[in-house]
Structure formats: C-alpha cells, structure tokens
Amino acid sequence: MKSFIGAVLFICVAFSANAQLLWKVSGNGLNQPSYIIGTHHLAPFSIMDSIAGLKKAMNETQQVYGEMKMSEMQSPATMEKMQKAMMIESDTTLTSLLSPEDFETANKFCKENLMVDLNMAPKLKPAFLLNNVVVMAYIKHVGKFNPQEQLDTFFQSQATQKVDGLETAEFQFNLLFNGSSLQRQAQLLMCTLNNIEAEVENLKKLTNAYMKQDLNTMFKISEERKGNQCDALPSEEDALIYNRNKIWAEKLPAIMKAAPTFVAVGALHLPGEKGLLKLLKSQGYTIEPVK
C-alpha cells in the first residue's frame, strides 16, 4: 500500500485524537505564529470549506512554503530536468526489466489509459509510469477528481508576498525516479497493475479519511501490509517520508522566525513520533490544532 501512496506524490502513533489538518505553531522565540496544513494531491477544493480557521491563517501569514515551489514546474529548465530524470540512460529497456507477460499487461494499460505505446517509448522509467498509472486509475474510477485542482498549487497562488519550497523540483525528480533501482521500480509497477482495483479502493479510503481530516486513519491505511514484495522497504519509507521530515524540521525554525509562514506539505508528513508536528514540538514549539 505504501508504494501506491508514495507514487503520488503523495505520505503511527497518533499525535492527536482530533480530526485535524491545520495546525498553529507558536512560541520558542516566534513573534507571530505560523501555520502548517496537510495536503492531499487527490482531494477536491471543497475540503477547504470545512477547515476551521483556514482563511484567518492565510491572512495572518506573510509567506507560503510548500514541498517545492510549484511555479518552477512550468519553466523550460525544470521540464528539461524532469524529462531527463524520467528516462533510462543505460542500455536497459522496459522489455529487459519486465517479463513478456508483464510488459503486455503494462503496455495494455498504458495504451488504454495513457495513450502511450511502450513499444514506442521503451526507455521510460517504471517509476514514471507508476506515477501516471496511479493518477489515471484514480481519474477513471473517481469521476469528481479534477487533476487541475491541486491544493499545494492553490495555497501558493494565494500568497501575497514570498513563495518558496522546502525542496527543489530536481530533488523530487531524483527521489521519485532515481530513489530505487530500475528492477525495484519495475517490481512496484507490476504490484500496482496486478492489483489495480484493490489499490484504487485503498486510495479512495485514504482520500475519504482526508476529507474527514482524519490523519490517524490516513496513517493506518498507509501502513497496511501485504507481507510480500509489494510492501515498502524501511529504506524507502525513510527516503520518502521520515528523512525529509527531519530536514524540514531543521529548515523551518529560521523560515518561521523570518516571517509568519503558511506551510503546506503532504498530510502524511504530519502525524506520528517521526512526523513533522512532533519534531517541531520537540524543539520547543507549541503545536495546537486550529479550531
């Protein structure tokens, strides 16, 4: 399950029993509070109507920080980096990574849903395909989903002053497309394609939990295990979530001290003993749910 969620980029011990997405960060030398909100790439904009204090939090902050600066994704230089990162540079091809049967399964899905014939694009990395498989499967099964409505992009578009990212687009490309071997990428791609209906149902449950602002249930869903090769490895969990949490927790104090900040990152980065909220609390900040 974690591999599927991690592909959309996407993901304990409960930090709070309250259903909550928006948190206030104060104390520890801050003259004005900052706010942290958990986002979800597949959630509709309607969720914002039910988040208490959201408008006030946005009005009280002077800058918006996301996982990355979304506007940079539109630049030719960034697009060129993404195109390079998603392609296999060695002599390896999809046909050498996948068995004939698996290649046929993948190609059938890609032709029907992505309008891509893998025979004509044999150098696409399996991780790139997996990202698109997840999104297209969700669009196909959830009619109300609008891929043009992204909460991360919306919050950054509302900023009146500075917008920046905790990471660069290049870092995220490297994480998604180079974070594991091509063989492991192929394995995870087939894990999803061979269990696509169950994966979509789990992702529906994840999104429903997000719409209820239930971080605890989201975490439990993301932690479900099959007991096979499709489960996320500890090193993959660290790279995708926990190591990034540590780095963000190190960066945010200076950012929040410079100006009251509205921070919008993936919801599954917030809860748990290794979650961003607990890491900031351990530094002496007061973390409160916004009511």
Side-chain angles (χ1 to χ4, degrees):
M1 179 61 198
K2 182 63 73 67
S3 63
F4 186 65
I5 295 171
V8 287
L9 85 326
F10 40 161
I11 349 254
C12 87
V13 176
F15 181 85
S16 170
N18 299 322
Q20 189 71 31
L21 295 178
L22 181 61
W23 299 80
K24 181 180 178 180
V25 183
S26 60
N28 197 27
L30 294 182
N31 295 322
Q32 300 178 66
S34 289
Y35 295 86
I36 298 179
I37 191 169
T39 62
H40 180 46
H41 297 300
L42 303 179
F45 278 3
S46 59
I47 180 64
M48 291 187 286
D49 297 333
S50 61
I51 300 176
L54 178 58
K55 186 174 182 180
K56 180 174 182 290
M58 296 179 70
N59 288 338
E60 288 184 354
T61 48
Q62 297 176 7
Q63 57 185 3
V64 175
Y65 268 73
E67 293 185 20
M68 65 178 180
K69 190 173 181 180
M70 301 301 289
S71 61
E72 290 183 353
M73 286 295 296
Q74 307 302 319
S75 73
T78 300
M79 294 299 294
E80 183 178 350
K81 290 177 182 178
M82 183 179 72
Q83 290 171 0
K84 182 179 180 180
M86 72 189 205
M87 303 300 292
I88 300 172
E89 295 185 346
S90 66
D91 294 335
T92 304
T93 64
L94 287 169
T95 53
S96 65
L97 289 169
L98 302 171
S99 69
E101 295 79 11
D102 286 346
F103 182 84
E104 182 179 352
T105 297
N107 200 25
K108 183 176 185 294
F109 184 95
C110 289
K111 286 194 291 186
E112 292 177 355
N113 297 278
L114 304 178
M115 305 301 133
V116 173
D117 185 343
L118 297 183
N119 288 299
M120 305 300 293
K123 306 292 283 186
L124 286 173
K125 288 181 179 175
F128 173 78
L129 293 175
L130 179 56
N131 288 341
N132 287 278
V133 164
V134 169
V135 174
M136 291 309 299
Y138 197 77
I139 291 174
K140 185 175 181 179
H141 290 84
V142 183
K144 295 182 179 180
F145 173 62
N146 182 355
Q148 301 304 315
E149 294 186 353
Q150 296 286 328
L151 289 172
D152 303 85
T153 302
F154 173 80
F155 290 134
Q156 293 187 25
S157 72
Q158 299 303 298
T160 57
Q161 297 185 38
K162 182 179 180 180
V163 175
D164 211 337
L166 296 167
E167 300 169 343
T168 64
E170 187 173 8
F171 172 88
Q172 292 209 353
F173 297 154
N174 190 57
L175 178 67
L176 289 173
F177 305 138
N178 299 318
S180 58
S181 69
L182 293 173
Q183 290 74 21
R184 177 60 172 164
Q185 292 181 30
Q187 191 176 65
L188 294 176
L189 172 64
M190 296 315 302
C191 282
T192 296
L193 287 173
N194 289 331
N195 300 280
I196 193 68
E197 292 183 3
E199 299 285 19
V200 169
E201 286 305 310
N202 280 334
L203 193 51
K204 285 181 183 178
K205 290 194 298 181
L206 187 78
T207 303
N208 288 338
Y210 181 82
M211 296 302 289
K212 295 176 182 178
Q213 303 191 50
D214 191 344
L215 290 177
N216 299 337
T217 296
M218 289 184 73
F219 186 89
K220 290 177 182 178
I221 293 170
S222 73
E223 286 293 288
E224 291 176 359
R225 294 291 182 266
K226 303 180 181 69
N228 58 28
Q229 63 188 15
C230 298
D231 291 338
L233 302 174
S235 59
E236 293 169 345
E237 290 183 317
D238 286 342
L240 187 64
I241 302 179
Y242 302 124
N243 291 345
R244 297 166 72 200
N245 289 353
K246 291 179 183 178
I247 293 172
W248 297 349
E250 292 171 358
K251 290 183 175 181
L252 281 172
I255 292 171
M256 295 186 298
K257 190 171 184 179
T261 307
F262 188 89
V263 182
V265 297
L268 285 171
H269 286 283
L270 301 190
E273 291 299 316
K274 295 187 287 186
L276 187 57
L277 299 178
K278 192 64 176 287
L279 292 176
L280 289 173
K281 186 177 182 181
S282 69
Q283 294 182 38
Y285 294 98
T286 299
I287 310 296
E288 305 169 279
V290 177
K291 300 297 184 184

